[in-house]
């Protein structure tokens, strides 16, 4: 539930209406001017039909410099952002050679493995020398090395399932696996805020797709009952298979999935549960095993566990963990296994080393320290932002914190002002989020020190005052009040 | 004063914004302020200003609700390319609260405009034509109907 001040909702609609009206006016003039000039392409159909690219041309391009910023160093706690200039009012941007050292609040670097690590990097370089950068083959042809087998075993043990299969790309894991698991005659019920990879996979599978209200188990039950009673679309025969797709942490909301309730509902109606732990594996839970550990759900109850290695392990790729029969079946049928190049050996070694650090098998307690630090950092940052009066979404313990901006003009204002003060934030607007709910998303990392967080809080507070996003009243500083009371008593 | 909002289950990003709190109020406020602006700019009677607002509202809403088809972004792969905005809202379900509200607004505007101009001749005719076209376009029976192929697909 998001709480918006009513006046802000009205002004946001008005701003979008104004932007839309100006965009239409400019389009009208462009059409009139172009009617007079002769086009060199006669008889060709236009690339974009009608209004399709209106949003990109008239709204996105105006604030293009807030997105797609190139960086020129590893995405550690501090990194180098390349400066860009534009000579035609943001229609095209040119890179300069100047860089700006900024505090990184946008990278998914939850455990700090994104930069050179004292345990992982030497091993990765050794693997690079031994196995070279790419296997140059698919898994079935010649691309399965001892590293791949070791990695799959490590992942299966870490996650708590009998077997696992690993792919080279996280997005492709979702979009290639879902069509294999379910097909025509099946039913997919997915959360309304699921990631695009899941939506793509669900659409590509050919099954009927229904959506339930975000994180609302009662609505899921209602949809399940309705669909089971109705059956397949025209024949009304019973569904061949029902699968419910949810995510561990929703990256745009920062909130955890209500997994215990959803799993119990799925057990009741005999539906399969597919859990996408892209943002939660390695980052939450006491030993980093994800949302199942945090919420106390037995991993045997969740049928298919999916995750990616990009966020907490500093590598690339995705995995699916499940029963031995499931993984065996996937190895025969999944196109990402049969036709796509296998995961690069240094990347696989990075994941294995990162897992060893997290589990403490490297002989030090750095893994446990990192996990404790990210939890402390997230809770500290979130509570401080709440005290300052910002509207921050997300549950406790989640390292993803969206700060609500709402108005379309505050998006570039917040982004540019923060960059001027050497803090790089990621702002997200329509269409990745609903129209009204534009936000700045902060990702906390275990490599942020306390000083970094305090500096970030100061910058965000001053920019927030300037831009006007402190929608809630700020809490008074309790310590000062107590001291004042003590002085009065004395 | 705060309002609560849950993320909507509507997947069509072109129409989901209409389900949020505050949209109806914004619509009514825009109409009211445009009446004030028309009164300030031109030197006409209040009734004439309401007629101008009514006709402007007719032109704008007819163009955007019942003429323009499709969505302003490309990532829904042209699923709604044959549907106007009116046919897309609420996933095509008829007679929902939003649709009833949008049907009532031109009627109320018509009543205000005709009353403040004392039902005199040229304004009354124009206002009636405007409201007739708008209300007929919003009937449930007109869903996906293209009369004489006007605005049909190529």
């Amino acid at each position: 539930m998001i709480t918006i001040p009513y006046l802000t909702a009205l002004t946001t609609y008005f701003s979008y209406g104004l932007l839309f009206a100006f965009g239409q006016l400019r389009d009208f003039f462009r059409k009139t001017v172009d009617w007079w000039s002769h086009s060199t392409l006669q008889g060709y159909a236009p690339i974009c039909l009608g209004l399709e690219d209106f949003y990109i041309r008239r709204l996105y391009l105006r604030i293009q410099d807030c997105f797609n910023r190139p960086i020129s160093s590893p995405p550690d706690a501090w990194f180098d952002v390349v400066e860009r200039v534009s000579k035609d009012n943001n229609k095209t941007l040119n890179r300069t050679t100047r860089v700006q050292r900024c505090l990184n609040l946008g990278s998914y670097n939850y455990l700090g493995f994104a930069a050179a690590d004292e345990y992982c990097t030497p091993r990765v370089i050794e693997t690079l020398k031994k196995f070279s950068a790419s296997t140059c083959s698919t898994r079935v042809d010649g691309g399965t090395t001892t590293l791949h087998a070791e990695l799959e075993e490590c992942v299966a043990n870490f996650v708590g399932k009998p077997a696992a299969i690993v792919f080279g790309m996280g997005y492709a894991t979702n979009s290639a696996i879902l069509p294999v698991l379910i097909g025509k005659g099946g039913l997919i019920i997915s959360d309304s805020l699921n990631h695009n990879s899941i939506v793509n996979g669900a659409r590509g599978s050919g099954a009927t797709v229904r959506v339930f209200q975000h994180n609302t188990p009662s609505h899921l039950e209602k949809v399940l009952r309705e669909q089971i009673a109705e059956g397949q679309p025209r024949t009304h025969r019973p569904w061949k298979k029902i699968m419910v797709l949810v995510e561990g942490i929703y990256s745009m909301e920062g909130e955890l999935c209500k997994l215990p309730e959803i799993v119990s509902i799925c057990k009741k109606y005999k539906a399969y549960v597919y859990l996408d732990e892209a943002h939660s594996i390695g980052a939450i839970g006491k030993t980093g095993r994800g949302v199942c550990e945090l919420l106390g759900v037995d991993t045997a109850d969740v049928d298919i566990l999916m995750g990616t290695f990009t966020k907490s392990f500093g590598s690339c790729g995705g995995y699916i963990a499940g029963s031995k029969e499931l993984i065996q079946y996937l190895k025969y049928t999944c196109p990402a296994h049969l036709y796509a190049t296998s995961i690069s050996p240094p990347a696989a070694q990075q994941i294995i080393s990162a897992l060893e650090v997290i589990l403490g098998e490297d002989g030090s307690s750095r893994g446990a320290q990192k996990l404790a630090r990210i939890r402390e950092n997230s809770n500290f940052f979130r509570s401080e932002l709440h005290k300052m009066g910002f509207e921050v979404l997300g549950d406790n313990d989640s390292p993803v914190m969206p700060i609500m901006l709402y108005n379309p003009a505050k998006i570039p204002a917040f982004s540019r002002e923060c960059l001027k003060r050497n803090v790089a934030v990621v702002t997200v607007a329509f269409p990745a989020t609903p129209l009204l709910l534009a936000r700045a998303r902060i990702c906390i990392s275990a490599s942020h020190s306390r000083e970094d967080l305090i500096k970030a809080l100061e910058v965000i507070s001053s920019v927030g005052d300037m831009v006007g996003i402190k929608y809630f009243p700020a809490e008074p500083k309790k310590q000062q009040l107590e001291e004042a009371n003590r002085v009065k008593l004395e | 004063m705060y309002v609560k909002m849950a993320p909507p289950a509507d997947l069509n990003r072109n129409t989901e914004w209409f389900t949020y709190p505050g949209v109806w109020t914004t619509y009514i406020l825009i109409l009211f302020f445009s009446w004030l602006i028309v009164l300030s700019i031109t030197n006409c009677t209040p009734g004439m200003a309401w007629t101008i607002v009514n006709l402007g509202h007719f032109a704008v809403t007819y163009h955007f609700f019942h003429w323009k088809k499709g969505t302003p972004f490309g990532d829904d792969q042209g699923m709604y390319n044959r549907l106007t905005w009116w046919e897309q809202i609420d996933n095509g379900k008829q007679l929902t609260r939003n649709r009833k509200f949008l049907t009532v607004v031109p009627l109320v505007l018509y009543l205000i405009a005709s009353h403040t101009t004392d039902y005199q001749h040229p304004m009354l005719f124009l206002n009636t034509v405007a409201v007739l076209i708008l209300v007929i376009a919003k009937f449930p029976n007109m869903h996906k109907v293209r009369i004489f192929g006007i605005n049909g697909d190529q």
Side-chain angles (χ1 to χ4, degrees):
Chain A
M1 274 293 168
I2 301 179
T3 320
I4 314 178
Y6 196 53
L7 207 55
T8 311
L10 297 183
T11 52
T12 312
Y13 293 125
F14 182 67
S15 317
Y16 272 110
L18 203 62
L19 278 171
F20 186 74
F22 267 101
Q24 293 285 344
L25 205 62
R26 290 179 114 132
D27 272 355
F28 172 69
F29 281 121
R30 168 60 52 193
K31 235 195 314 200
T32 321
V33 165
D34 274 349
W35 194 60
W36 292 110
S37 70
H38 193 59
S39 165
T40 49
L41 295 169
Q42 286 289 4
Y44 281 89
I47 293 184
C48 292
L49 201 57
L51 270 189
E52 254 174 26
D53 55 346
F54 177 78
Y55 175 75
I56 298 212
R57 273 180 301 115
R58 296 300 174 198
L59 273 79
Y60 177 80
L61 283 184
R62 290 172 76 123
I63 53 172
Q64 210 197 127
D65 64 312
C66 302
F67 307 110
N68 286 336
R69 291 194 184 130
I71 64 176
S72 68
S73 78
D76 201 10
W78 285 84
F79 65 164
D80 295 323
V81 176
V82 174
E83 291 178 18
R84 295 183 290 178
V85 291
S86 170
K87 297 194 182 73
D88 50 1
N89 202 18
N90 269 352
K91 246 166 102 174
T92 55
L93 289 165
N94 300 314
R95 288 198 320 262
T96 63
T97 48
R98 294 189 303 274
V99 290
Q100 198 182 345
R101 188 110 192 126
C102 298
L103 178 64
N104 184 0
L105 288 180
S107 296
Y108 303 136
N109 181 17
Y110 299 138
L111 293 180
F113 283 114
D117 186 78
E118 58 191 10
Y119 181 82
C120 301
T121 314
R123 285 170 177 73
V124 169
I125 296 180
E126 217 180 280
T127 309
L128 179 64
K129 288 189 195 148
K130 184 168 164 203
F131 283 100
S132 98
S134 165
T135 55
C136 297
S137 169
T138 68
R139 285 291 297 268
V140 281
D141 283 338
T144 304
T145 63
T146 49
L147 266 180
H148 292 89
E150 193 187 334
L151 174 61
E152 287 181 351
E153 215 183 289
C154 277
V155 166
N157 285 336
F158 183 68
V159 161
K161 280 285 197 182
I165 180 175
V166 165
F167 302 102
M169 185 175 153
Y171 188 101
T173 309
N174 267 331
S175 47
I177 283 287
L178 284 169
V180 167
L181 289 177
I182 192 168
K184 198 153 169 289
L187 172 68
I188 291 183
I189 307 186
S190 100
D191 190 291
S192 69
L193 292 181
N194 268 340
H195 189 252
N196 189 270
S197 55
I198 302 182
V199 171
N200 220 335
R203 241 184 240 167
S205 67
T208 312
V209 180
R210 290 279 174 269
V211 158
F212 72 95
Q213 227 170 37
H214 173 63
N215 231 0
T216 316
S218 53
H219 193 243
L220 169 64
E221 182 159 8
K222 188 162 153 273
V223 171
L224 262 172
R225 289 175 71 97
E226 207 183 299
Q227 290 301 320
I228 293 180
E230 275 184 18
Q232 290 185 31
R234 269 167 305 137
T235 57
H236 293 293
R237 295 205 196 123
W239 296 104
K240 290 201 188 137
K241 207 185 294 193
I242 304 185
M243 205 157 23
V244 174
L245 312 176
V246 287
E247 286 188 34
I249 291 187
Y250 290 93
S251 57
M252 284 304 156
E253 316 285 314
E255 53 181 23
L256 297 163
C257 167
K258 291 197 179 122
L259 200 55
E261 290 96 331
I262 292 183
V263 163
S264 66
I265 291 178
C266 290
K267 266 199 194 164
K268 188 164 135 191
Y269 293 98
K270 309 251 180 23
Y272 293 112
V273 179
Y274 180 103
L275 179 63
D276 178 342
E277 289 210 87
H279 284 266
S280 50
I281 190 74
I284 57 179
K286 213 150 56 96
T287 54
R289 286 169 213 255
V291 74
C292 291
E293 185 183 7
L294 186 70
L295 297 177
V297 174
D298 188 10
T299 47
D301 285 338
V302 179
D303 302 292
I304 304 160
L305 283 167
M306 179 263 175
T308 60
F309 301 118
T310 10
K311 280 79 179 183
S312 309
F313 303 102
S315 179
C316 63
Y319 69 88
I320 300 261
S323 64
K324 278 207 166 61
E325 295 85 15
L326 172 71
I327 301 298
Q328 194 73 337
Y329 170 72
L330 287 178
K331 287 196 174 164
Y332 292 148
T333 50
C334 178
H337 191 257
L338 300 171
Y339 306 117
T341 315
S342 55
I343 186 173
S344 153
Q349 179 61 44
Q350 162 75 20
I351 305 166
I352 298 176
S353 312
L355 276 172
E356 284 171 2
V357 172
I358 294 177
L359 290 172
E361 285 166 13
D362 62 332
S364 71
S365 64
R366 278 196 321 139
Q369 279 174 12
K370 279 184 198 273
L371 285 165
R373 207 158 53 219
I374 185 175
R375 200 166 46 240
E376 261 173 52
N377 284 352
S378 325
N379 289 337
F380 168 69
F381 207 76
R382 184 177 264 118
S383 58
E384 287 297 316
L385 283 177
H386 265 305
K387 280 193 218 153
M388 285 192 228
F390 289 102
E391 177 159 2
V392 180
L393 307 178
D395 299 329
N396 264 331
D397 278 354
S398 147
V400 177
M401 299 174 209
I403 302 179
M404 300 306 295
L405 298 170
Y406 300 123
N407 264 321
K410 298 188 182 177
I411 305 167
F414 189 78
S415 181
R416 290 171 191 160
E417 288 299 319
C418 278
L419 190 64
K420 276 196 212 149
R421 292 166 176 72
N422 289 336
V423 169
V425 291
V426 166
T427 46
V428 197
F430 195 53
T433 63
L435 182 72
L436 263 195
L437 310 175
R439 60 201 73 179
R441 184 180 67 180
I442 309 248
C443 293
I444 297 292
S445 148
S447 56
H448 283 137
S449 64
R450 208 24 100 92
E451 294 82 38
D452 293 336
L453 293 181
I454 294 180
K455 173 179 177 358
L457 283 168
E458 281 170 20
V459 165
I460 293 180
S461 182
S462 60
V463 173
D465 277 327
M466 205 188 305
V467 168
I469 50 179
K470 291 191 178 173
Y471 294 115
F472 289 131
E475 283 177 25
K477 295 205 168 60
K478 287 197 187 132
Q479 274 185 339
Q480 288 181 355
L481 284 178
E482 281 177 21
E483 280 176 24
N485 283 340
R486 241 182 282 138
V487 166
K488 269 194 223 152
L489 285 173
E490 286 167 19
Chain B
M1 184 176 117
Y2 295 97
V3 282
K4 285 212 176 285
M5 215 196 97
D10 188 358
L11 285 179
N12 182 359
R13 298 213 175 258
N14 191 20
T15 60
E16 51 133 22
W17 58 273
F18 208 73
T19 61
Y20 296 164
V23 186
W24 292 7
T25 316
T26 311
Y27 189 13
I28 297 175
L29 281 178
I30 289 181
L31 287 173
F32 179 68
F33 280 118
S34 53
W35 175 68
L36 286 180
I37 291 176
V38 166
L39 260 189
S40 339
I41 295 180
T42 64
N43 189 13
C44 60
T45 62
M48 201 58 196
W50 275 119
T51 310
I52 295 176
V53 166
N54 192 15
L55 295 176
H57 172 256
F58 163 60
V60 168
T61 51
Y62 189 76
H63 181 76
F64 288 118
F65 289 1
H66 301 280
W67 188 266
K68 278 274 168 214
K69 296 194 280 194
T71 55
F73 3 89
D75 56 342
D76 56 5
Q77 294 176 344
M79 238 184 338
Y80 304 106
N81 269 355
R82 299 165 135 219
L83 298 179
T84 63
W85 190 85
W86 178 257
E87 288 159 2
Q88 287 172 31
I89 54 173
D90 290 331
N91 269 320
K93 213 160 77 140
Q94 299 296 328
L95 298 176
T96 60
R97 286 189 72 207
N98 280 331
R99 288 184 185 237
K100 288 183 193 163
F101 170 74
L102 287 174
T103 318
V104 162
V105 167
L107 283 172
V108 170
L109 261 185
Y110 172 65
L111 290 173
I112 297 178
S114 6
H115 174 76
T116 47
T117 57
D118 284 328
Y119 305 93
Q120 281 163 16
H121 174 59
M123 282 80 77
L124 183 65
F125 175 68
L126 293 171
N127 283 331
T128 314
V129 163
V131 82
L132 272 179
I133 296 183
L134 277 184
V135 170
I136 292 181
K138 295 183 163 68
F139 278 166
N141 299 36
M142 293 294 281
H143 184 69
K144 291 202 212 168
V145 168
R146 308 269 179 258
I147 308 178
F148 299 134
I150 302 177
N151 203 17
D153 309 311
Q154 286 140 342

